[in-house]
Amino acid sequence: GRIWIATMGQGLLKLEGGKEIWVNKTSGLANLNVNCVAQDRSGNVWFGLNGSGFQRYRDDRFVYFNNIPLLSSDGIFSFSQDKEGRIWVGTLSEGAGIWDGKEMKTVGGIHGRVNTILNTRDGKTWLGTHDGLFQYSGGSAVLRKLSDSLKTGVRSLFEDSKGNIWVGCGGAGLFRLTGNEIKYFDQNEG
C-alpha cells in the first residue's frame, strides 16, 4: 500500500514499501503547501493546494488544475467523490464546486471555507463549514440546524456502517444524525 501525507512547506511525504519518499516541485508538485489528500474510486489521488488550485496524480504523473474561476487564487481544503464520479471541491473562502473532469460548477447557497465534504451511500452530499452543516439539494446547499444553542463550525463528517452521519464540531462536541433525529454528545459522554 501507499500512504500520502500532506505538509505545509515541504510538499508530500509518500510512504510506500517501507520507504519514505518526499514529493516536491522537482517531482511535479505545483505547490509545497498541501492542505488535503483524497483518493477516488478509480485510484486517482487528489491534492488540494494552498492558494493555487489542485492536482490529480495518476499513472505516476501529476495533472495541475488552476485555471478554473472558482479556484483562481483560493486554497483547497476538502474533496469527495459522488455516485456519478464527480469530484466535490471545498475551498478556503469561495465555498464549494463540483468538478466533472471538464468544468467546475459552483455550489449555490454556500460561501466561505468548506472544511469537509461527505457524499453518502444514499446519494446525499453534506458540507461542513465554519457556518455549520449544509446539505446539498436541488442545485444549492441548505443550512441544516443541529442545535438552537450551539453556534459552531463543522470540522469533520463520517458515515458509519448503519448510515448514521457523525458531525464533529470545533470545540463543541459531536452530533449523530439518524434520519431526522439529531443526538448531541458532549465531553461528558466520552
Side-chain angles (χ1 to χ4, degrees), residues 84-155:
E84 290 83 35
R86 301 174 302 178
I87 302 297
W88 289 67
V89 179
T91 72
L92 171 66
S93 62
E94 299 295 325
I98 307 167
W99 175 251
D100 67 4
K102 295 178 184 167
E103 65 180 353
M104 183 74 72
K105 176 185 168 191
T106 301
V107 175
I110 192 166
H111 307 285
R113 182 173 172 168
V114 178
N115 296 316
T116 182
I117 303 172
L118 175 67
N119 285 286
T120 58
R121 290 186 296 276
D122 64 2
K124 293 179 182 169
T125 300
W126 299 88
L127 301 105
T129 76
H130 281 320
D131 296 325
L133 180 66
F134 288 79
Q135 183 177 7
Y136 182 78
S137 177
S140 68
V142 178
L143 184 63
R144 176 86 183 260
K145 195 175 208 176
L146 293 174
S147 168
D148 287 329
S149 59
L150 287 176
K151 305 282 189 251
T152 186
V154 173
R155 303 243 181 193

Side-chain angles (χ1 to χ4, degrees), residues 4-14 22-24 29 31-37 47-50:
W4 294 93
I5 300 171
T7 74
M8 291 303 285
Q10 296 182 25
L12 295 160
L13 176 59
K14 179 171 64 168
W22 282 98
V23 178
N24 52 37
L29 190 63
N31 185 325
L32 297 179
N33 297 313
V34 183
N35 293 323
C36 62
V37 179
F47 304 102
L49 306 175
N50 194 40

Side-chain angles (χ1 to χ4, degrees), residues 46-101:
W46 298 85
F47 304 102
L49 306 175
N50 194 40
S52 61
F54 60 93
Q55 285 188 270
R56 181 187 66 214
Y57 182 79
R58 177 174 54 199
D59 300 327
D60 293 323
R61 287 189 16 242
F62 285 98
V63 176
Y64 185 33
F65 301 94
N66 71 334
N67 263 345
I68 301 168
L70 178 71
L71 310 176
S72 60
S73 64
D74 214 8
I76 306 302
F77 270 73
S78 53
F79 291 107
S80 185
Q81 185 178 34
D82 65 18
K83 284 187 168 190
E84 290 83 35
R86 301 174 302 178
I87 302 297
W88 289 67
V89 179
T91 72
L92 171 66
S93 62
E94 299 295 325
I98 307 167
W99 175 251
D100 67 4

